Amino acid sequence: MESKHEGRKQRAEAPRPVPGLPAGVQPFEHLRSTVERLRGTWDGRPPLLLTHRSPDPDALGALVGLHALLRGAFGMESEIATGGRIFRAENLTMVRELGLSFLEYADIDPEHYGGAFLVDSQPGFGHTPLPEGLDLVGVFDHHEPPTDGAASPPSVPHYDLRLGIGATSSILYEYLRDAGVELDPVTATALSCGVRFDTADLSMHVTELDTEAYYGAFRRADRRMLQRIRRPVLPASYYRELHRCLARARRLGPLVFGFLGRISNPESVAEMADFFLRMEGCRWTLVGGAHGETYHLSVRTELDFGDAYPLLEAVLDGEGSFGGRGPVAGGQVSLAGADAGELQRLERRLRGRTRRLVPADELAGADPANGTRLTRLP
Ligand SMILES: [Mn+2]
């Protein structure tokens, strides 16, 4: 079957330097010498651990892993600060079950810390504001570096960027292993959640290290806690939103899409996009909804259908920003300062472009203007 988006190939990008550790150096040894060199200048002040906004399980796992590493390997207590509310029920449950508590960005006093570490993100990423007046000592990440403003690697003493590794939690697992730090149940559970989430239970983006981390962390994890995180208690509002989403969603050949208007939880769009992809015969999904001053969009594709991001690129057609990795893509359009009618107009534009991505011969009897309500599907 031919799909319209197959002609859209990823733009070739000029090769750019990838920041990383010096060749041949053992990561933990490099971290040890960096910490030993710098901690004398910290006057006993602790390091602050940071990640991207609204941390996901991999970011949380890496934070907990780094906290345990600094304590176990260097006898150093650290503090963690996070920004952006966490909405996804699994992630909230993970924080609660693991007994984690974080500082808010607004409460950070840079004078109080010797330096900062950043996990599962890099300086220059839009979703990662860094507090001013605090030097980055280390970065641990597995994402492609930002394409703009990063012509040369940033000058961070310990910059461990490993493209291709499935999860930052796996990278921290390696440090803990090499440092000989025994995994306590909380750290093991956190790392296990992180590797599981970013590799979809070792089904994608998997390396040897991810596999070792997945089983190694799981062996020492609290299994009951893992199960509670996997099947979290859901608030009543979740079911209200699910109902609205089911009522608004439409099927158009291989596509299930829904534009939800205002939503109470910005994670709903990703959850529903995942949920619809499981429908028999569905090859790709797109869900959008407005939360606060931002319109959120998620696209999911079946693996053999092609990447998600060219589809989202076509739907956005230059509006907003977006990113993607394989079968997953997400985007945002700002509604800041927009009048009351703009949300409806935006959804109308998005809906029009979305419909045009489905070739006429794939409509399978659906009304090409509106699609078919899920309740009316044969
Ligand atoms: Mn990650």
Side-chain angles (χ1 to χ4, degrees):
M1 200 189 300
E2 203 175 88
S3 301
K4 250 188 181 174
H5 74 283
E6 278 172 3
R8 307 179 68 95
K9 288 277 184 289
Q10 191 159 0
R11 272 189 304 273
E13 280 164 10
R16 56 187 190 281
V18 173
L21 299 176
V25 74
Q26 209 257 1
F28 173 67
E29 286 309 321
H30 191 269
L31 178 68
R32 189 217 300 271
S33 66
T34 305
V35 166
E36 281 172 359
R37 179 161 48 87
L38 292 174
R39 74 188 300 180
T41 67
W42 293 357
D43 301 322
R45 292 172 299 171
L48 184 64
L49 316 189
L50 304 163
T51 187
H52 54 77
R53 287 173 61 80
S54 302
D56 60 18
D58 186 38
L60 294 169
L63 285 170
V64 173
L66 180 56
H67 181 83
L69 176 71
L70 294 175
R71 177 185 281 172
F74 310 122
M76 185 183 274
E77 290 304 320
S78 58
E79 293 178 22
I80 298 173
T82 58
R85 228 176 111 187
I86 299 176
F87 286 94
R88 208 174 178 108
E90 287 90 332
N91 306 1
L92 284 171
T93 308
M94 186 175 165
V95 170
R96 194 178 58 240
E97 288 283 342
L98 295 171
L100 308 178
S101 64
F102 307 126
L103 286 162
E104 307 238 352
Y105 259 60
D107 299 332
I108 296 173
D109 173 9
E111 298 287 308
H112 183 71
Y113 302 99
F117 289 88
L118 180 62
V119 301
D120 202 39
S121 187
Q122 293 160 52
F125 278 168
H127 68 350
T128 307
L130 293 172
E132 273 175 47
L134 206 51
D135 288 335
L136 269 184
V137 177
V139 169
F140 305 83
D141 193 27
H142 65 141
H143 294 98
E144 283 282 343
T147 46
D148 49 339
S152 61
S155 55
V156 175
H158 184 82
Y159 208 106
D160 190 352
L161 173 59
R162 288 190 234 177
L163 304 178
I165 298 287
T168 306
S169 295
S170 303
I171 298 173
L172 267 304
Y173 177 90
E174 184 199 84
Y175 280 87
L176 287 155
R177 179 199 71 195
D178 292 348
V181 176
E182 187 91 18
L183 293 185
D184 63 88
V186 166
T187 305
T189 305
L191 292 171
S192 177
C193 289
V195 182
R196 193 175 75 75
F197 182 81
D198 265 26
T199 65
D201 281 293
L202 298 185
S203 70
M204 50 185 218
H205 315 300
V206 184
T207 62
E208 280 285 303
L209 176 60
D210 295 300
T211 305
E212 184 191 335
Y214 181 91
Y215 290 111
F218 183 73
R219 203 169 290 128
R220 293 166 187 80
D222 181 328
R223 311 285 165 80
R224 282 169 177 273
M225 199 187 279
L226 274 180
Q227 193 56 18
R228 289 196 294 272
I229 294 168
R230 200 183 269 246
R231 296 179 63 81
V233 173
L234 298 168
S237 61
Y238 180 93
Y239 295 89
R240 262 201 312 278
E241 202 129 296
L242 175 63
H243 178 265
R244 247 162 53 80
C245 185
L246 289 170
R248 288 191 173 218
R250 299 285 189 276
R251 175 82 187 254
L252 208 51
L255 165 69
V256 176
F257 69 99
F259 295 100
L260 309 183
R262 289 241 152 247
I263 50 178
S264 59
N265 174 356
E267 297 277 359
S268 292
V269 298
E271 289 192 22
M272 295 303 151
D274 282 330
F275 179 57
F276 288 141
L277 194 62
R278 290 165 60 186
M279 189 186 295
E280 190 175 22
C282 174
R283 314 281 327 270
W284 68 288
T285 61
L286 182 146
V287 180
H291 186 266
E293 294 194 316
T294 306
Y295 195 84
H296 298 266
L297 285 151
S298 278
V299 171
R300 299 289 185 269
T301 57
E302 282 203 315
L303 275 177
D304 60 352
F305 188 71
D307 285 349
Y309 99 88
L311 295 162
L312 186 52
E313 184 179 35
V315 169
L316 284 169
D317 193 25
E319 296 194 67
S321 59
F322 67 101
R325 193 175 177 215
V328 173
Q332 287 94 35
V333 180
S334 173
L335 292 168
D339 63 59
E342 177 53 20
L343 171 56
Q344 276 195 326
R345 291 195 296 275
L346 171 65
E347 289 200 327
R348 207 174 303 136
R349 291 195 296 278
L350 297 170
R351 193 180 292 118
R353 292 181 207 130
T354 302
R355 286 193 302 243
R356 286 197 287 278
L357 288 171
V358 181
D361 62 342
E362 289 181 20
L363 288 175
D367 169 1
N370 301 306
T372 308
R373 281 176 188 276
L374 301 189
T375 49
R376 305 250 169 85
L377 287 172

